[in-house]
């Protein structure tokens, strides 16, 4: 819980010596409360002040870094609902292999994890992790499969076993991968904490109920070990949802520190595809840290990654593309010119439909702060004057020989203003719906004789 300036001032020496750069301890306390200064700037701060203020400034949900480069970050969330601010670190998706699986399945899964790519609105997504489950083979085989999974995919792993000896062996075999050991129970927490510490891994803790989990996580905190994930045991989708929500609420609203860690969830309790999909969607929507899928399913993976992209996009900053003139296909100087806004979804939909129409063209995308067509127009960011200014700035008139520009049908009203600001150009009003671009190209543009629009059948 954040401390007020007055509460902080009570922890300071109150000598007003000014060595921190503030005139009084109270002024310094106010800066600390506003997070504009650090307690280390006061050379006389007591150990007690440093401890209390350090704990108060700790994020409610700890950031956990995974991978040899520590590039996969979980946690560090500060709000319950994305519209309050944004969610920062998206749910990592992992695919499971069992050491008892046939080797052909193991090989195929590792290859998919290594090579899978999904493109959405200009971003490329990959599978984040592999889970390796100890399901019957001996300890050495489990450890060498873990090593193979790491070496093949380069991804951090979730190592799952009920045997501390197996986890220790695998943990040594993949030292340097900064993976997750799953899971420590109240009985094994000390032993596995030492293993995680020695080999620089993260430790998932689990218990039959939340009280047990709280005790386990508290023990690790007291030992100064914070590389922790919480692995709940729930028996239904409703319980999964309630537990995730209740624990995240406790960490964010009530500052329950032992519950302030990211979550780990395995979804292999069912072979029902819909149940697995619903479980994974729940994790993405409600605070999942790592979600382990029982196998690779391309339809489910693409769906989950698309959902995740939406949930973890900053609601105050729409995804945008760079403002510029984009060639679509293989445009020539006399190819048609279209204009739209730089909201990613709009750009990719429009460019895709131009491509589908069988023609090549130029797509002019001015700066519209990532807004869609009507929103940008209403905000004055997509007007005849602003489009004309952009066209001149990028030197489109030197790049193309055509002097016709197609505007979206929803902003037909800017055509006069655009023609006024772009002398020598004719404005054509395109369709309102992007789905009609293809028929617009074929029925309107291709029939025009003044320009050569090379429309492929
Ligand atoms: Fe007070 Fe410390 Fe600043 Fe001195 S350095 S004024 S004691 S807060």
């Amino acid at each position: 819980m954040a401390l007020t300036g007055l509460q902080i001032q009570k922890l300071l020496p109150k000598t007003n010596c000014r060595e921190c750069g503030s005139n009084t301890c109270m002024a310094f306390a106010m800066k600390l409360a506003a997070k504009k200064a650090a307690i280390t700037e006061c050379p006389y701060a007591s150990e007690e002040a440093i401890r209390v203020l350090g704990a108060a400034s700790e994020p409610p949900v700890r950031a956990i870094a995974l991978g040899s480069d520590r590039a996969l970050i979980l946690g560090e969330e500060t709000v319950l609902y994305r519209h309050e601010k944004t969610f920062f670190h998206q749910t990592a998706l992992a695919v499971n292999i069992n050491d008892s699986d046939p080797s052909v399945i193991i090989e195929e899964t590792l290859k998919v994890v290594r090579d899978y790519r999904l493109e959405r609105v200009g971003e490329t997504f990959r599978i984040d992790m592999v889970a390796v489950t100890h399901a019957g083979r001996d300890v050495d085989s489990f450890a060498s499969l873990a090593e193979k999974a790491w070496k093949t995919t380069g991804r951090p792993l979730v190592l799952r076993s009920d045997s501390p000896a197996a986890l220790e062996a695998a943990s040594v075999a993949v030292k340097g991968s900064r993976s997750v050991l799953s899971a420590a129970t109240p009985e094994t927490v000390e032993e596995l904490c030492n293993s995680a510490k020695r080999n620089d891994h993260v430790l998932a803790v689990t218990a039959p109920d939340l009280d047990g989990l709280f005790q386990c996580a508290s023990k690790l905190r007291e030992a100064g070990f914070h590389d922790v994930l919480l692995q709940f045991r729930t028996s239904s989708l409703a319980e999964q949802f309630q537990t995730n929500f209740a624990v995240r609420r406790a960490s964010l609203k009530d500052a329950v520190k032992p519950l302030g860690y990211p979550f780990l969830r395995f979804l292999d309790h069912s072979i029902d595809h819909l149940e697995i999909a619903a479980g994974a969607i729940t994790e993405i929507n409600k605070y999942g840290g790592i979600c382990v899928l029982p196998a690779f399913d391309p339809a489910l993976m693409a769906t989950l990654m698309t959902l995740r992209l939406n949930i973890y996009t900053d609601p105050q900053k729409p995804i945008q593309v760079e403002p510029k003139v984009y060639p679509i296909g293989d445009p020539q100087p006399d190819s048609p010119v279209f204009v739209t806004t730089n909201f990613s979804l709009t750009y990719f939909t429009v460019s895709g439909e131009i491509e589908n129409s069988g023609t090549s063209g130029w797509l002019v995308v001015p700066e519209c702060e990532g807004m869609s067509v009507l929103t940008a127009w209403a905000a004055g960011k997509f007007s005849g004057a602003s489009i004309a200014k952009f066209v001149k700035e990028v030197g489109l008139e030197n790049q193309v020989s055509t002097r016709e520009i197609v505007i979206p049908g929803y902003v037909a009203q800017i055509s006069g203003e655009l023609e006024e600001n772009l002398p020598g150009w004719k404005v054509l009003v395109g369709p309102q719906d992007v789905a009609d671009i293809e028929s617009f190209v074929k029925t309107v543009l291709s029939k025009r004789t003044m320009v050569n629009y090379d429309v492929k059948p």
Side-chain angles (χ1 to χ4, degrees):
M1 196 81 70
L3 297 177
T4 64
L6 208 56
Q7 287 168 321
I8 295 171
Q9 192 246 2
K10 287 180 185 159
L11 296 165
L12 296 175
K14 298 193 257 325
T15 56
N16 300 332
C17 71
R18 299 186 179 190
E19 285 187 42
C20 58
S22 298
N23 286 338
T24 61
C25 292
M26 186 61 207
F28 183 64
M30 295 306 286
K31 279 192 192 169
L32 286 175
K35 303 205 183 313
K36 289 183 177 158
I39 184 66
T40 47
E41 290 168 41
C42 168
Y44 309 109
S46 65
E47 279 184 17
E48 167 73 356
I50 292 168
R51 190 187 59 75
V52 172
L53 291 172
S57 62
E58 208 179 287
V61 179
R62 200 125 189 144
I64 301 291
L66 296 170
S68 45
D69 53 2
R70 296 185 175 234
L72 177 61
I73 313 279
L74 312 173
E76 219 175 14
E77 304 298 345
T78 55
V79 292
L80 277 178
Y81 304 104
R82 66 188 283 274
H83 63 260
E84 292 176 286
K85 190 173 186 180
T86 184
F87 291 160
F88 292 101
H89 296 120
Q90 60 185 15
T91 310
L93 294 171
V95 177
N96 184 67
I97 52 174
N98 299 312
D99 62 356
S100 56
D101 287 342
S103 58
V104 62
I105 301 274
I106 290 175
E107 297 289 343
E108 271 174 24
T109 307
L110 294 180
K111 197 165 167 296
V112 163
V113 171
R114 185 191 63 200
D115 298 337
Y116 181 86
R117 304 265 190 293
L118 180 76
E119 298 235 351
R120 283 281 182 279
V121 290
E123 292 187 49
T124 304
F125 300 102
R126 305 177 68 188
I127 298 171
D128 304 289
M129 302 182 77
V130 191
V132 183
T133 297
H134 183 211
R137 309 239 356 238
D138 58 86
V139 165
D140 291 341
S141 303
F142 172 61
S144 62
L145 179 59
E147 190 176 4
K148 180 190 175 98
W150 178 37
K151 295 281 186 271
T152 307
T153 64
R155 305 295 200 285
L157 312 171
V158 181
L159 302 166
R160 176 167 61 159
S161 175
D162 293 335
S163 152
L167 285 177
E168 165 66 14
S171 148
V172 172
V174 299
K175 185 170 183 174
S177 66
R178 192 153 167 87
S179 294
V180 177
L181 310 185
S182 164
T185 61
E187 297 74 36
T188 60
V189 67
E190 277 168 38
E191 183 180 355
L192 285 174
C193 174
N194 290 333
S195 183
K197 264 189 201 164
R198 267 196 311 275
N199 300 299
D200 191 25
H201 295 306
V202 170
L203 184 60
V205 289
T206 192
D209 53 33
L210 267 185
D211 282 348
L213 195 67
F214 178 89
Q215 303 299 341
C216 242
S218 300
K219 231 183 222 181
L220 291 170
R221 275 185 73 79
E222 281 156 22
F225 185 78
H226 295 288
D227 292 330
V228 175
L229 297 179
L230 305 177
Q231 188 177 331
F232 309 125
R233 293 186 202 169
T234 53
S235 55
S236 68
L237 191 60
E239 203 188 340
Q240 174 188 345
F241 179 91
Q242 286 161 357
T243 307
N244 282 13
F245 188 84
V247 170
R248 181 52 50 90
R249 196 177 192 295
S251 59
L252 291 185
K253 300 292 179 195
D254 303 324
V256 180
K257 297 289 183 191
L259 297 182
Y261 297 103
F263 310 155
L264 165 65
R265 165 91 48 188
F266 284 88
L267 291 173
D268 54 4
H269 54 283
S270 168
I271 52 162
D272 182 305
H273 285 241
L274 281 179
E275 212 177 300
I276 292 165
I281 287 167
T282 301
E283 288 303 298
I284 290 171
N285 282 327
K286 287 294 167 206
Y287 324 127
I290 300 171
C291 176
V292 182
L293 303 167
F296 174 73
D297 173 342
L300 180 60
M301 189 59 79
T303 305
L304 295 178
M305 285 187 172
T306 307
L307 169 71
R308 189 178 65 170
L309 170 68
N310 283 309
I311 299 294
Y312 283 84
T313 298
D314 185 342
Q316 290 162 39
K317 284 190 207 146
I319 316 174
Q320 14 188 313
V321 295
E322 185 191 347
K324 65 178 191 179
V325 178
Y326 289 84
I328 309 294
D330 180 23
Q332 303 303 309
D334 61 355
S335 295
V337 175
F338 300 82
V339 62
T340 192
T341 71
N342 73 328
F343 176 40
S344 271
L345 200 55
T346 302
Y347 165 78
F348 282 101
T349 315
V350 171
S351 61
E353 288 301 324
I354 295 172
E355 230 170 335
N356 288 344
S357 74
T359 190
S360 293
W362 304 98
L363 184 53
V364 177
V365 180
E367 170 63 85
C368 300
E369 297 179 9
M371 295 181 206
S372 61
V373 169
L374 274 179
T375 315
W377 170 74
K381 308 285 178 194
F382 193 59
S383 63
S386 67
I387 295 170
K389 185 166 175 272
F390 183 76
V391 163
K392 288 174 189 163
E393 277 171 7
V394 294
L396 184 69
E397 291 175 328
N398 303 324
Q399 195 176 342
V400 302
S401 59
T402 180
R403 287 295 180 265
E404 287 186 335
I405 186 164
V406 181
I407 62 170
Y410 275 118
V411 289
Q413 59 273 39
I414 68 168
S415 61
E417 187 193 3
L418 183 52
E419 281 188 357
E420 252 173 51
N421 284 277
L422 270 186
W425 283 75
K426 183 169 176 47
V427 175
L428 301 178
V429 177
Q432 290 190 343
D433 194 328
V434 283
D436 295 329
I437 286 179
E438 184 172 352
S439 66
F440 175 81
V441 167
K442 288 182 174 157
T443 58
V444 180
L445 291 189
S446 62
K447 289 198 170 61
R448 299 179 71 77
T449 52
M450 53 187 295
V451 286
N452 170 26
Y453 294 142
D454 177 21
V455 180
K456 296 184 190 109

